[in-house]
């Protein structure tokens, strides 16, 4: 009986471990699907922007959700000396209706659109005090209030820096020279091959003409010689025959 009980315990333990494994896989799969289709916010390929003092700068931000949105909440914050200052906030009812936005800064303008999934803002007449970190935040109630944020850094300068493109120009020039050299070599090679093939054809045709002409001459000479030999031989035989017949008489 003790052995049976231990066997049952082992079997039940294996079943429980298998159930736990299946449950873990199911949870991981659900989390994977959730993360793939979840809300994402992005400020583009760059994480910093450099703008000149007194100019207007666009702070880009877009959102994406595979399951769609409903009453999406978004806002912009500016971090100054460790303190987050709200610049604007709004709500997007769905993918068709345009967002309603409330601006909390006099030099901020909302330029987003729900159709383009855009919640970007413009910052007018920037100053050196506007330097810092800007955060774009969004929350989607349709995904059980899933939220996501993205940040970018704004740097204000007196004048725009001149980018040194010397290295780029050198690289492009070298590549262009190499490509041009390769093209020239290919053209020269094609011309040489064509010239050589033409010359070989001319030589082969010339040899064929010489062989055919010499063959014709030999044939003509042989035929004439044969005719002469054939003509001379009967004459000699005839004369000999006549002499033999006349001697006895």
């Amino acid at each position: 009986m003790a052995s049976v009980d231990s066997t049952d315990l082992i079997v039940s333990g294996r079943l429980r471990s298998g159930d736990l494994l299946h449950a873990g896989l199911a949870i991981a799969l659900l989390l994977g699907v959730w993360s793939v289709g979840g809300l994402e916010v992005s400020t583009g390929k760059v994480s910093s922007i450099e703008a000149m003092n007194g100019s207007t700068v666009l702070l880009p931000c877009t959102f994406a959700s595979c399951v769609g949105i409903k009453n999406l909440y978004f806002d912009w914050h500016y971090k100054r000396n460790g303190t987050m200052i709200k610049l604007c906030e709004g709500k997007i009812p769905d993918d068709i209706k345009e967002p309603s936005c409330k601006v909390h800064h006099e030099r901020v303008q909302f330029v987003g659109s729900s159709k383009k999934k855009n919640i970007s803002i413009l910052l007018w007449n920037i100053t050196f005090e506007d330097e810092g970190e800007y955060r774009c935040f969004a929350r989607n109630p349709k995904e059980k209030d899933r939220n996501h944020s993205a940040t970018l850094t704004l740097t204000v300068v007196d004048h725009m820096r001149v980018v040194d493109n010397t290295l780029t120009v050198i690289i492009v020039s070298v590549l262009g020279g190499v490509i041009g050299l390769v093209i020239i070599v290919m053209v020269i090679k094609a011309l040489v091959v064509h010239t050589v093939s033409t010359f070989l054809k001319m030589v082969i045709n010339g040899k064929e003409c010489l062989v055919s002409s010499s063959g014709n001459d030999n044939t003509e000479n042989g035929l004439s010689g044969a005719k002469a030999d054939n003509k001379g031989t009967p004459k000699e035989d005839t004369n000999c025959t006549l002499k033999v017949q006349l001697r006895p008489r």
Side-chain angles (χ1 to χ4, degrees):
M1 296 295 294
S3 61
V4 174
D5 294 338
S6 61
T7 304
D8 292 340
L9 290 175
I10 293 172
V11 173
S12 61
R14 289 181 178 177
L15 290 175
R16 290 177 182 176
S17 62
D19 294 339
L20 290 174
L21 179 61
H22 293 159
L25 291 174
I27 292 173
L29 182 61
L30 290 175
L31 290 176
V33 173
W34 179 263
S35 62
V36 170
L39 177 70
E40 290 187 0
V41 176
S42 174
T43 56
K45 297 181 179 180
V46 296
S47 59
S48 61
I49 297 176
E50 187 176 278
M52 192 166 59
N53 183 27
S55 63
T56 300
V57 63
L58 172 68
L59 303 180
C61 185
T62 58
F63 65 89
S65 176
C66 294
V67 300
I69 62 170
K70 184 177 182 181
N71 294 325
L72 177 77
Y73 172 83
F74 67 90
D75 62 35
W76 276 91
H77 280 79
Y78 165 58
K79 188 176 182 180
R80 178 189 296 173
N81 298 327
T83 303
M84 300 298 291
I85 301 174
K86 184 178 289 186
L87 300 177
C88 70
E89 61 181 337
K91 185 178 292 186
I92 304 178
D94 50 45
D95 296 329
I96 301 176
K97 297 180 181 179
E98 289 300 321
S100 58
C101 183
K102 183 178 181 180
V103 178
H104 300 281
H105 194 286
E106 59 183 3
R107 290 187 288 111
V108 170
Q109 178 183 354
F110 178 75
V111 292
S113 172
S114 59
K115 295 180 180 179
K116 298 181 179 180
K117 302 184 184 303
N118 191 337
I119 49 178
S120 304
I121 61 173
L122 282 176
L123 185 59
W124 293 83
N125 194 21
I126 61 174
T127 64
F128 290 103
E129 294 182 354
D130 295 324
E131 283 188 339
E133 185 178 281
Y134 291 80
R135 189 196 73 172
C136 174
F137 172 84
R139 182 176 65 247
N140 188 14
K142 190 174 182 179
E143 300 179 58
K144 297 183 179 180
D145 287 337
R146 177 185 174 90
N147 60 79
H148 193 245
S149 63
T151 60
L152 58 85
T153 303
L154 174 64
T155 303
V156 182
V157 296
D158 283 327
H159 56 277
M160 301 301 293
R161 292 180 296 179
V162 178
V163 180
D164 188 6
N165 294 325
T166 304
L167 182 59
T168 304
V169 172
I170 292 174
I171 294 174
V172 172
S173 301
V174 171
L175 290 176
V178 171
I179 294 172
L181 182 61
V182 171
I183 293 174
I184 292 174
V185 170
M186 293 177 65
V187 171
I188 293 175
K189 180 180 178 181
L191 291 175
V192 170
V193 171
H194 178 71
T195 303
V196 171
S197 62
T198 304
F199 178 74
L200 291 176
K201 288 180 180 179
M202 292 176 62
V203 171
I204 293 171
N205 292 332
K207 288 184 177 179
E208 290 178 354
C209 291
L210 290 175
V211 171
S212 61
S213 62
S214 62
N216 292 331
D217 292 339
N218 292 331
T219 304
E220 292 177 357
N221 292 332
L223 290 174
S224 60
K227 292 178 180 179
D229 293 337
N230 291 332
K231 290 178 180 179
T233 302
K235 288 181 180 180
E236 291 177 357
D237 293 338
T238 304
N239 293 332
C240 293
T241 304
L242 291 173
K243 288 178 181 180
V244 170
Q245 292 177 356
L246 292 174
R247 279 180 186 179
R249 295 179 182 179

